[in-house]
Amino acid sequence: MANSRPRQTGDAKEALIFATERLIAERGPNDVTIKDIIEAAGARNSSAVQYHFQSRKNLILETFRNRMDTIDELRLTLLDESNLDDARDLARALILPLASQLVPRKEGNFYLRFAERSMREPGAIDRDKLRDLRQGWQQTVEGIRALVKERTPPSLIDFRIQLVETIVISGGALIETLLQAGQIPRASQDANLIALVDVCEAAIRSVPSAESLSAIELHESKVA
C-alpha cells in the first residue's frame, strides 16, 4: 500500500533542494525553471519555492549551503594544519574537502556539477551571500593571492586567481561526472583528486612568461 503520509515541511524543503541540485547539474541554471524544480521535487503546491525560500536565487543559495557547511568545516580544519605560505598546502585545502561530495548518496551525486554550472552563469547566484558561506575558501584564496602577487603583474592577479578557482571547481565536477558514468573506478577517486591538486599547485606556482609580460606591456602602452 502506498504511503499517503503528507510530506513534512523539512522533507519538502529537502526535496526542492535535491531537485535544484540535480536539474542545474544536468541542464545549467538558465535552463531550469521554478516549475521544473517543483515537478521534480514532487511538490503539490505550485508556490512551494516561494513559500520555503522566497525566491529562486535563495533556493540556489540554500542548495549551496546544504553541502557547503560540511565542505567548509573540512577546509577550515585542513587550513589549521597547513602552511599558508605553501602552494601545495593551499591547493590541498581547496580540493581535498571535495571528496566528501563524491561519497555515493541515495539521492545521487550532483553537487560539484551544480556548483560549477551555477558559478559559471552570470547572475545565477548572489556571490556576496555565497562568499559568506565559504570562509575556508576565502581564507585559502587570500593565501594564494599573497603567493601569486609576488611574481605576477597587478593587472593579471585577479585573472590568475579566477583561473585557479576554475581549475578546482571544474576539475571536481569532471571527477564527479566520470565517476557517475563509470569511466573511472571509485578506487581511483583519491588518485584523481591528487592529480587535480598537482594541476592546481602548478597553476599557483607558475610564473608569467616573457610572452605574457610583453602582451601586458603592449596593452598598457596603448591605454596610457
Side-chain angles (χ1 to χ4, degrees):
M1 179 178 177
N3 185 355
S4 60
R5 178 179 65 88
R7 190 188 293 273
Q8 299 300 308
T9 299
D11 295 339
K13 289 183 68 173
E14 186 177 73
L16 290 166
I17 285 171
F18 289 165
T20 301
E21 183 178 80
R22 177 176 63 80
L23 292 177
I24 289 180
E26 293 174 343
R27 305 180 193 172
N30 291 342
D31 290 324
V32 176
T33 66
I34 288 179
K35 181 180 178 182
D36 293 334
I37 293 168
I38 289 172
E39 289 179 354
R44 299 175 182 176
N45 188 336
S46 61
S47 302
V49 169
Q50 180 70 26
Y51 176 77
H52 291 292
F53 302 100
Q54 291 73 60
S55 71
R56 184 175 181 275
K57 277 194 173 182
N58 280 345
L59 170 56
I60 294 175
L61 185 68
E62 288 305 311
T63 304
F64 269 102
R65 188 193 304 275
N66 185 55
R67 310 292 187 193
M68 187 60 68
D69 287 348
T70 297
I71 296 171
D72 207 50
E73 183 178 346
L74 291 169
R75 186 168 286 129
L76 288 168
T77 298
L78 265 179
L79 286 173
D80 286 342
E81 302 167 353
S82 299
N83 176 2
L84 299 186
D85 295 323
D86 183 81
R88 188 162 189 85
D89 276 6
L90 291 168
R92 284 169 54 84
L94 283 180
I95 292 163
L96 296 188
L98 303 183
S100 66
Q101 301 309 306
L102 298 173
V103 177
R105 292 189 289 256
K106 64 180 181 180
E107 69 272 15
N109 295 78
F110 299 97
Y111 175 76
L112 298 180
R113 285 166 289 169
F114 156 80
E116 192 268 339
R117 300 199 72 164
S118 295
M119 296 180 71
R120 188 198 313 165
E121 299 291 343
I125 182 70
D126 187 325
R127 291 180 179 270
D128 288 336
K129 290 182 179 179
L130 180 61
R131 191 176 296 114
D132 292 339
L133 299 182
R134 305 196 301 167
Q135 295 180 24
W137 180 278
Q138 294 304 126
Q139 288 181 31
T140 310
V141 166
E142 288 310 307
I144 293 171
R145 182 179 296 276
L147 292 181
V148 167
K149 73 179 183 181
E150 294 176 0
R151 52 185 176 274
T152 304
S155 60
L156 270 185
I157 290 174
D158 285 345
F159 182 64
R160 293 287 292 271
I161 295 294
Q162 289 173 20
L163 283 176
V164 170
E165 292 180 328
T166 300
I167 288 168
V168 174
I169 296 167
S170 296
L174 176 60
I175 293 172
E176 185 181 77
T177 299
L178 294 175
L179 284 170
Q180 177 172 317
Q183 294 181 23
I184 57 174
R186 290 207 167 268
S188 71
Q189 172 183 306
D190 290 347
N192 284 280
L193 285 170
I194 295 301
L196 184 55
V197 170
D198 293 342
V199 174
C200 184
E201 179 189 8
I204 295 169
R205 292 186 184 278
S206 65
V207 177
S209 65
E211 184 179 13
S212 177
L213 294 174
S214 177
I216 293 170
E217 290 176 3
L218 179 61
H219 169 71
E220 290 177 347
S221 69
K222 290 180 177 179
V223 300

